[in-house]
């Protein structure tokens, strides 16, 4: 908000994070700032990758940044259900961040979905026929893992009835 003398730079917006010697502080910086880069990339995950992620040499940090940006991108579209273009954007990314991008999309359903009903759109997304089997595994594994943090075991059991049978094993796995 350009308050307190801090202005978010429009170019090399994550440079501040590289300046920290402490890896824990640097990763926290990347995580927090990665939620703010989507508008600078015109809400396009490929552009986020090119502008902000490609130069990050640590694959874990690169994955975290694209994950966060993908969750934010899903949040922008949560009301209109246009999630499949985001899947296409994730698929266009280099393999080193493809899975993190997909996990970010699935995490976005809980972060931005209708409280108490976040699972509805998440399960519909994971069940879409355009997802490949490996993508469905990532999708269902991640949403069930995330659901465990927000729903009771009883509600999770009910939700899992709507998960496609081949992927219901994620519902019975212990975290």
């Amino acid at each position: 908000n350009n308050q307190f003398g801090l202005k978010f730079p429009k170019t090399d917006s994550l440079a501040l994070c590289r300046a920290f010697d402490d890896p824990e502080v640097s990763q926290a910086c990347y995580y927090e700032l990665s939620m703010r880069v989507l508008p600078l990339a015109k809400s396009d995950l490929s552009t986020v990758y090119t502008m902000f992620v490609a130069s990050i040499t640590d694959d874990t940090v690169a994955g975290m940044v694209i994950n966060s940006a993908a969750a934010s991108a899903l949040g922008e579209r949560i009301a209109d259900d246009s999630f499949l273009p985001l899947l296409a954007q994730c698929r266009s990314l280099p393999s080193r961040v493809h899975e993190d991008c997909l996990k970010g999309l699935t995490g976005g359903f809980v972060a931005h979905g209708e409280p108490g009903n976040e699972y509805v759109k998440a399960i519909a997304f994971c069940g879409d026929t355009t997802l490949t089997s490996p993508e469905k595994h990532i999708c269902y594994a991640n949403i069930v893992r995330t659901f465990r943090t927000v729903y009771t075991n009883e509600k999770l059991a009910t939700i899992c009835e709507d998960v496609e049978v081949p992927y219901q094993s994620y519902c019975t796995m212990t975290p």
Side-chain angles (χ1 to χ4, degrees):
N1 295 332
N2 295 328
Q3 294 176 327
F4 313 111
L6 178 64
K7 293 185 180 189
F8 195 71
K10 295 190 185 315
T11 59
D12 202 10
S13 303
L14 304 178
L16 170 66
C17 303
R18 289 191 301 275
F20 294 108
D21 292 330
D22 182 337
E24 190 175 331
V25 173
S26 177
Q27 283 190 7
C29 177
Y30 276 112
Y31 178 74
E32 294 299 330
L33 292 187
S34 64
M35 293 180 225
R36 310 292 177 250
V37 298
L38 195 62
L40 301 175
K42 296 185 175 45
S43 298
D44 181 79
L45 295 172
S46 298
T47 305
V48 168
Y49 184 84
T50 302
M51 288 178 67
F52 304 107
V53 180
S55 63
I56 299 172
T57 57
D58 183 322
D59 286 347
T60 301
V61 173
M64 179 183 55
V65 171
I66 203 69
N67 179 303
S68 179
S72 296
L74 188 122
E76 289 181 349
R77 296 170 178 239
I78 197 77
D80 64 11
D81 298 337
S82 59
F83 312 125
L84 293 179
L86 295 174
L87 175 62
Q89 289 178 33
C90 285
R91 286 174 173 165
S92 76
L93 298 176
S95 61
R96 75 179 191 131
V97 296
H98 174 80
E99 184 172 329
D100 293 299
C101 187
L102 184 55
K103 286 180 178 178
L105 294 181
T106 61
F109 288 104
V110 171
H112 303 288
E114 179 187 340
N117 292 312
E118 300 91 346
Y119 67 92
V120 174
K121 290 183 179 187
I123 289 176
F125 175 75
C126 291
D128 194 280
T129 57
T130 60
L131 271 76
T132 65
S133 178
E135 288 171 336
K136 284 184 179 227
H137 276 286
I138 293 165
C139 194
Y140 280 118
N142 201 57
I143 63 167
V144 170
R145 180 191 59 77
T146 307
F147 290 165
R148 289 184 196 285
T149 66
V150 295
Y151 298 124
T152 64
N153 288 337
E154 294 77 22
K155 175 111 179 192
L156 183 61
T158 302
I159 291 168
C160 283
E161 292 172 7
D162 293 331
V163 171
E164 290 179 74
V165 172
Y167 309 100
Q168 286 185 352
S169 61
Y170 294 115
C171 295
T172 58
M173 292 177 160
T174 54

